[in-house]
Amino acid sequence: MKHRQRHGLLIAFFGLLTALLLLYSIAKGALPATCGRASPAFEEELLERINQYRADNGLKPLSRHKALDALAKHHSKDMCKEETLSHDGFSERFHQSGKRRCVENVGWNCASAAEQFDLWKGSPGHDHNLLDRGMGSAGISRIGPYVTFFACE
């Protein structure tokens, strides 16, 4: 009986240790449970909606730009990892873009590209960025529930 009791205690101890290590890893960001890459379809649809809106307002469409996509992706990953919606690091992204002028919209927890677009369209500051006539290219990224739209001249 003593052998079975010891065996049971060892199993319980290692089970608890494993659970604690897993929780620690998640808390430190080593295992970002909700930060998976969303379908590129969300990003494409969002840009299509933005470009249709721009066309409806007599503006040229934004072209998708790989370098701006990378900047948007990095920011969306950071927001997801920190679980915070923010514009932190905008000046760095702007500098890395090599452009003279950029704008940025961020979003969180929208079930669809249509919902995200409608929220931005309904907010004066975000709407202004969508319709900025000086913008010509854009990067868009959705990581987990976080979205970054980063557009430059």
Side-chain angles (χ1 to χ4, degrees):
M1 275 245 201
K2 286 188 177 183
H3 178 68
R4 282 188 179 179
Q5 286 177 338
R6 268 193 226 143
H7 183 70
L9 286 173
L10 282 174
I11 290 174
F13 172 76
F14 285 111
L16 179 61
L17 182 60
T18 301
L20 289 173
L21 287 173
L22 178 63
L23 288 172
Y24 178 77
S25 295
I26 291 172
K28 286 296 187 183
L31 298 173
T34 61
C35 292
R37 177 88 166 120
S39 167
F42 180 98
E43 297 161 0
E44 288 297 326
E45 182 184 339
L46 186 55
L47 186 59
E48 287 173 14
R49 288 177 178 277
I50 292 167
N51 280 335
Q52 184 58 56
Y53 184 48
R54 289 174 62 85
D56 293 346
N57 285 275
L59 301 172
K60 293 179 183 177
L62 301 173
S63 60
R64 193 90 187 252
H65 191 281
K66 286 185 181 184
L68 300 182
D69 272 344
L71 292 170
K73 181 178 180 180
H74 188 264
H75 184 56
S76 290
K77 279 185 178 179
D78 284 348
M79 288 191 297
C80 194
K81 184 178 176 184
E82 298 297 323
E83 296 181 332
T84 302
L85 187 67
S86 76
H87 291 284
D88 291 352
F90 174 79
S91 58
E92 287 178 35
R93 286 185 293 287
F94 169 66
H95 180 73
Q96 290 173 349
S97 75
K99 306 291 185 177
R100 290 184 300 159
R101 202 156 87 55
C102 299
V103 297
E104 178 179 81
N105 287 355
V106 295
W108 174 75
N109 212 28
C110 289
S112 68
E115 181 183 3
Q116 183 63 75
F117 172 75
D118 289 342
L119 286 172
W120 285 341
K121 186 178 170 187
S123 164
H126 295 102
D127 186 58
H128 180 267
N129 288 345
L130 297 175
L131 295 176
D132 191 317
R133 69 179 59 254
M135 300 301 111
S137 56
I140 298 179
S141 177
R142 179 182 180 198
I143 303 293
Y146 294 89
V147 179
T148 303
F149 164 76
F150 188 71
C152 298
E153 58 179 14

